[in-house]
Amino acid sequence: MPKAILLAPATQAPAALAPEIAASRTDSELQLLMQAIYLRYNHDFRDYSQASQMRRVLHALVQLDCPSIPDLQSRVLHDPALFQRLLQYLTIPVSEMFRDPGFFLALRQQVVPHLHTYASLKIWIAGCSTGEEAYSLAILLREEGLLERSQIYATDINPASLAKARQGIFPMKSIKGHSANYQ
């Protein structure tokens, strides 16, 4: 007589674990994508917040019409133009004139007096995004009489953000907020 096979427990256990297994696999796929980007393009997102990366990559999958992270990885590794598009989703283009008013006040009151003692200044703003902080710093330096002897370097890994920063054109609707930050 054949043995009875009990399928219910065997089919229920994997179903109960499926979300955890899927999450683990997706986390691994995300890590592999970030490693591949680092090895191919030398942009290192490997230590960024995984939750933030996951949100951005999942959004990019929809926008770039990719069915999965491994598909995106394959396409990105073979198509530098697609990587440039993905970069728009991986980077955080957040910038605002005088974005952190407390910082600019402290800079003016505590740092600028020391800067007056230098013949020239070289200032680097890494991750300048669309440039509002760089322009804010230039305004502050001009008001303090330091801009003429200063060089400001503003860099970002996102070429689209840098292009916008180079233009120096910002929406009028933002002026009210910028003015409040400045004051």
Side-chain angles (χ1 to χ4, degrees):
M1 183 158 102
K3 292 186 178 182
I5 300 173
L6 182 59
L7 294 177
T11 57
Q12 287 177 355
L17 293 176
E20 292 174 7
I21 293 169
S24 174
R25 191 179 89 203
T26 304
D27 289 346
S28 297
E29 291 169 351
L30 181 65
Q31 290 172 0
L32 289 170
L33 171 64
M34 295 306 151
Q35 180 69 18
I37 288 171
Y38 174 68
L39 293 172
R40 173 72 167 89
Y41 298 103
N42 205 29
H43 288 293
D44 196 353
F45 296 100
R46 296 173 300 173
D47 290 329
Y48 282 39
S49 159
Q50 192 157 351
S52 177
Q53 281 181 345
M54 187 61 76
R55 280 192 308 275
R56 288 192 171 86
V57 168
L58 292 176
H59 180 70
L61 289 176
V62 173
Q63 299 301 313
L64 301 174
D65 196 29
C66 289
S68 67
I69 294 173
D71 181 61
L72 177 63
Q73 178 179 328
S74 176
R75 289 179 55 195
V76 161
L77 288 176
H78 297 95
D79 184 354
L82 182 65
F83 170 69
Q84 290 302 319
R85 290 179 58 204
L86 176 61
L87 197 56
Q88 304 309 306
Y89 299 102
L90 294 178
T91 58
I92 306 168
V94 175
S95 188
E96 184 179 338
M97 297 288 277
F98 300 97
R99 180 169 63 156
D100 182 351
F103 167 80
F104 282 96
L105 181 61
L107 184 65
R108 187 183 296 269
Q109 293 175 344
Q110 298 172 20
V111 178
V112 166
H114 298 288
L115 297 180
H116 281 287
T117 65
Y118 291 91
S120 65
L121 304 170
K122 291 184 179 181
I123 302 163
W124 177 27
I125 301 172
C128 74
S129 186
T130 53
E132 284 91 331
E133 283 93 353
Y135 287 103
S136 299
L137 184 59
I139 290 168
L140 184 143
L141 292 173
R142 178 155 189 118
E143 290 174 349
E144 294 292 332
L146 294 170
L147 186 61
E148 293 73 26
R149 55 184 165 143
S150 300
Q151 287 184 315
I152 300 173
Y153 301 93
T155 61
D156 200 279
I157 64 169
N158 187 324
S161 292
L162 277 178
K164 187 172 181 183
R166 278 188 203 98
Q167 291 175 346
I169 300 171
F170 305 106
M172 285 296 292
K173 66 181 180 185
S174 304
I175 296 300
K176 187 176 181 178
H178 298 333
S179 295
N181 287 349
Y182 174 81
Q183 292 171 355

